[in-house]
Amino acid sequence: MNAIISASDLANDLTGANPPVLLDVRWQLTAAKAAGEPPYDGRADYETGHLPGAVYVDLDRELASAPGEGGRHPLPDLAHFGAAMRRAGVSSGTPVVVYDGGQGWAAARAWWMLRWTGHPDVRVLDGGLPAWEGPLEKSVPTPAEGDFVPEPGPTGLLDADAAAELARSGVLLDARAGERYRGEVEPIDPVAGHIPGAVSAPTTENVRADGRYLPAQELRERFKGLGVSEGSRVGVYCGSGVSAAHEVLALAVAGIPAELYVGSWSGWSSDPDRPVAVGPDPQ
């Protein structure tokens, strides 16, 4: 099953016998929020117009728990996450399509959470809301309660120790902007740099200018150039486990399984005993 879906294919599926549940996960990490000013309001944007039948999902409250030692977007309590998904109408036997405002990061976090906890059929709308050419609606739906119960799989999730080991034995990709990886700037977290051994792989290079993913073959070539070979164990981190989920999705499009370090740099850099590398070299 492909991890992404085009707007035209989604429009067709919505008229089919088993239409997908739609989740709207509009979210932004803005400089204003980092500076303590009022954050972006995804729900307000949702209420101005969303795909028909879509239910809003709050990334900060339903796809993550409160910031702390585990980073800025630690895993949510799974009972809380499951209840939020059931309220949105998510059932194990019903396909799910997730979208956001176009950047793709938040939708990928929802995709990853559902896939990691056992949902068998989740896709992301390629290009997000800007790719949709159909009608929008403002009314807030009240879907029938779903039956999805999250059951995390044995793989797919890294902690800090596992990420450090993978940087030595496999391929650990850093999905942040190159200047953050090199330690030249750090607008959010207390320490600049990267996990020793990690390879710089900005997630922005996985997509076209319109936010849609590159073709699978181009993505395979990109990751091959970053050191991913057949059979490689691959992990990804970013600032707080959101844009890294977008890169895990890009790897899935390329047919490459990958694991996510949810704590990411915000979790790693909060521990003064963790080593930090700077500059363009992984080490």
Side-chain angles (χ1 to χ4, degrees), residues 29-48:
L29 177 63
T30 63
K33 180 177 179 181
E37 297 177 17
Y40 165 80
D41 190 341
R43 180 175 289 278
D45 266 3
Y46 164 83
E47 291 175 352
T48 66

Side-chain angles (χ1 to χ4, degrees), residues 118-138:
H119 197 288
D121 190 350
V122 190
R123 289 173 289 176
V124 169
L125 174 58
D126 195 17
L129 185 63
W132 178 253
E133 296 180 352
L136 300 177
E137 68 178 22
K138 295 183 179 180

Side-chain angles (χ1 to χ4, degrees), residues 49-283:
H50 52 267
L51 270 63
V55 176
Y56 179 71
V57 174
D58 189 314
L59 185 148
D60 289 318
R61 293 178 175 85
E62 296 171 327
L63 303 180
S65 58
E69 291 183 0
R72 283 182 278 108
H73 289 103
L75 288 175
D77 174 82
L78 290 184
H80 176 73
F81 168 69
M85 293 299 98
R86 291 190 293 275
R87 283 195 303 271
V90 175
S91 292
S92 295
T94 303
V96 177
V97 172
V98 190
Y99 72 92
D100 58 24
Q103 186 179 43
W105 295 3
R109 172 71 176 229
W111 168 85
W112 182 85
M113 282 292 309
L114 283 164
R115 292 292 293 149
W116 176 65
T117 55
H119 197 288
D121 190 350
V122 190
R123 289 173 289 176
V124 169
L125 174 58
D126 195 17
L129 185 63
W132 178 253
E133 296 180 352
L136 300 177
E137 68 178 22
K138 295 183 179 180
S139 60
V140 177
T142 53
E145 184 91 357
D147 65 17
F148 177 69
V149 177
E151 297 181 0
T155 61
L157 178 67
L158 299 171
D159 61 14
D161 289 339
E165 191 279 328
L166 185 54
R168 297 188 296 268
S169 64
V171 181
L172 182 64
L173 301 176
D174 184 318
R176 299 173 300 160
E179 59 269 24
R180 291 183 70 190
Y181 170 88
R182 295 188 296 271
E184 296 165 2
V185 298
E186 182 44 66
I188 303 171
D189 296 312
V191 179
H194 60 267
I195 296 173
V199 177
S200 180
T203 198
T204 52
E205 296 179 16
N206 296 322
V207 296
R208 303 182 178 102
D210 63 2
R212 301 185 199 197
Y213 278 101
L214 297 172
Q217 183 57 40
E218 290 185 31
L219 288 171
R220 282 190 286 271
E221 290 299 320
R222 164 168 160 72
F223 292 122
K224 181 179 179 180
L226 294 170
V228 177
S229 58
E230 186 173 353
S232 293
R233 186 181 173 205
V234 182
V236 189
Y237 75 96
C238 59
S240 64
V242 179
S243 66
H246 187 269
E247 187 133 296
V248 171
L249 180 54
L251 284 153
V253 172
I256 303 167
E259 298 170 277
L260 177 65
Y261 173 25
V262 172
S264 285
W265 188 247
S266 59
W268 182 277
S269 62
S270 69
D271 182 347
D273 292 330
R274 295 280 178 192
V276 172
V278 295
D281 186 83
Q283 300 301 331

